[in-house]
């Protein structure tokens, strides 16, 4: 069954390139990004895994643990890891799940009913420290993901969990934000000492409060 925002991320134990791993133990108190690949030894996936390995310091800085999945067996992953290091200039520095029986892929509904050859699509799940699913994105197999966008959404989620704000179109960390519509002007004045610009009753802009 498809997972929705706010659902509890299902726990599982799986074989990975770093050995047997339990999702909840791996995540601990951290945020998580679980993302799937159609298959090993495929070009787009190879570039994606290299990029996530390069971005690992950015995920670490946000207290996020990353976890990839491809349905091919672990022996296949071990061969592919060498290709990723050779072609992408960085070693894989996070676990990659081997899921040949599709148990994790089915749990997270990563194989659409119309999929050819039972391939997983490029699913992304962001999981918060309370184990709730906070973002679901699905890309087609032929389109590599933009992991800067995933980091941007995590920045927004972490900010809006802490402050009564929302983030506007194309927002990036450091940009102005939107005061939550549920707050009165008086409450907004108290919560946002830097002030706010009122464009409409429902559209009030304030500097990012933790900057
Ligand atoms: C790729 O990673 O390049 C790929 C995988 C499956 C289908 C199409 C492209």
């Amino acid at each position: 069954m498809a997972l929705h925002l706010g659902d509890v991320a299902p726990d599982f134990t799986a074989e990975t390139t770093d050995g047997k791993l339990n999702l909840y133990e791996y995540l601990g108190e951290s945020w998580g990004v679980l993302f799937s690949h159609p298959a090993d030894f495929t070009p787009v996936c190879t570039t994606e895994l290299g990029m996530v390995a390069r971005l690992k310091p950015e995920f670490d800085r946000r207290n996020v643990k990353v976890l990839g999945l491809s349905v091919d067996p672990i022996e296949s992953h071990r061969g592919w890891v060498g290709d990723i290091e050779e072609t992408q200039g960085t070693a894989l520095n996070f676990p990659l799940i081997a899921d040949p029986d599709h148990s994790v892929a089915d749990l997270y509904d990563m194989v659409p009913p119309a999929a050819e050859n039972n391939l997983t699509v490029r699913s992304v799940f962001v999981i918060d420290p309370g184990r709730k699913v906070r973002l679901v994105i699905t890309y087609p197999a032929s389109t590599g993901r933009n992991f800067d966008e995933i980091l941007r959404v995590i920045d927004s989620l972490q900010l809006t969990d802490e402050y009564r704000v929302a983030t506007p179109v194309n927002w990036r960390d450091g940009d102005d934000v939107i005061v939550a519509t549920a707050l009165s002007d008086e409450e907004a004045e108290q919560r946002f000492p830097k002030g706010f610009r009122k464009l409409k009753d429902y559209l009030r802009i304030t500097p990012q409060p933790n900057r």
Side-chain angles (χ1 to χ4, degrees), residues 38-39 42-46 119 122 141-142:
T42 48
V44 177
C45 300
T46 301
L119 290 180
R122 297 186 198 284
S142 53

Short mmCIF file of all heavy atoms in Angstrom, two decimals, residues 38-39 42-46 119 122 141-142, ligand 1:
data_model
loop_
_atom_site.label_atom_id
_atom_site.label_comp_id
_atom_site.label_asym_id
_atom_site.label_seq_id
_atom_site.Cartn_x
_atom_site.Cartn_y
_atom_site.Cartn_z
N PRO A 38 16.44 1.76 -9.89
CA PRO A 38 15.88 0.67 -10.71
C PRO A 38 16.75 -0.58 -10.76
O PRO A 38 16.24 -1.68 -10.71
CB PRO A 38 15.73 1.30 -12.09
CG PRO A 38 15.65 2.77 -11.84
CD PRO A 38 16.50 3.03 -10.63
N ALA A 39 18.07 -0.42 -10.87
CA ALA A 39 18.92 -1.61 -11.02
C ALA A 39 20.39 -1.23 -10.89
O ALA A 39 20.75 -0.06 -11.06
CB ALA A 39 18.68 -2.23 -12.40
N THR A 42 23.63 0.62 -13.90
CA THR A 42 22.86 1.47 -14.82
C THR A 42 23.43 2.89 -14.71
O THR A 42 23.88 3.30 -13.63
CB THR A 42 21.36 1.47 -14.46
OG1 THR A 42 21.22 1.70 -13.07
CG2 THR A 42 20.70 0.16 -14.83
N PRO A 43 23.43 3.64 -15.80
CA PRO A 43 24.21 4.88 -15.82
C PRO A 43 23.69 5.98 -14.90
O PRO A 43 24.46 6.61 -14.17
CB PRO A 43 24.16 5.32 -17.29
CG PRO A 43 23.01 4.58 -17.89
CD PRO A 43 22.85 3.31 -17.12
N VAL A 44 22.37 6.23 -14.94
CA VAL A 44 21.84 7.34 -14.12
C VAL A 44 22.06 7.04 -12.64
O VAL A 44 22.51 7.89 -11.87
CB VAL A 44 20.34 7.56 -14.44
CG1 VAL A 44 19.77 8.65 -13.54
CG2 VAL A 44 20.14 7.93 -15.90
N CYS A 45 21.77 5.81 -12.25
CA CYS A 45 21.92 5.41 -10.84
C CYS A 45 23.37 5.58 -10.38
O CYS A 45 23.63 5.99 -9.25
CB CYS A 45 21.52 3.95 -10.64
SG CYS A 45 19.83 3.60 -11.09
N THR A 46 24.30 5.26 -11.26
CA THR A 46 25.72 5.36 -10.90
C THR A 46 26.06 6.82 -10.56
O THR A 46 26.73 7.09 -9.56
CB THR A 46 26.58 4.85 -12.08
OG1 THR A 46 26.21 3.50 -12.33
CG2 THR A 46 28.07 4.93 -11.77
N LEU A 119 10.87 -3.39 -12.07
CA LEU A 119 11.92 -2.49 -11.57
C LEU A 119 11.35 -1.49 -10.58
O LEU A 119 10.24 -0.98 -10.78
CB LEU A 119 12.54 -1.70 -12.73
CG LEU A 119 13.40 -2.46 -13.73
CD1 LEU A 119 13.92 -1.49 -14.79
CD2 LEU A 119 14.56 -3.15 -13.03
N ARG A 122 12.54 5.59 -9.06
CA ARG A 122 13.41 6.40 -8.20
C ARG A 122 12.56 7.04 -7.12
O ARG A 122 12.12 8.18 -7.25
CB ARG A 122 14.12 7.48 -9.04
CG ARG A 122 15.03 6.91 -10.07
CD ARG A 122 15.84 7.95 -10.80
NE ARG A 122 16.34 7.34 -12.01
CZ ARG A 122 17.35 6.48 -12.06
NH1 ARG A 122 18.00 6.16 -10.96
NH2 ARG A 122 17.71 5.96 -13.20
N ALA A 141 12.48 6.46 -14.24
CA ALA A 141 13.79 5.81 -14.29
C ALA A 141 14.80 6.60 -15.12
O ALA A 141 16.00 6.61 -14.82
CB ALA A 141 13.65 4.40 -14.85
N SER A 142 14.33 7.31 -16.14
CA SER A 142 15.28 7.97 -17.05
C SER A 142 15.74 9.34 -16.56
O SER A 142 16.54 9.99 -17.23
CB SER A 142 14.63 8.11 -18.43
OG SER A 142 13.38 8.76 -18.30
C1 LIG B 1 19.72 4.29 -15.29
O1 LIG B 1 20.03 4.30 -14.11
O2 LIG B 1 20.43 4.80 -16.14
C2 LIG B 1 18.45 3.63 -15.74
C3 LIG B 1 17.92 2.57 -15.03
C4 LIG B 1 16.75 1.97 -15.45
C5 LIG B 1 16.10 2.43 -16.58
C6 LIG B 1 16.62 3.54 -17.27
C7 LIG B 1 17.79 4.13 -16.84
#
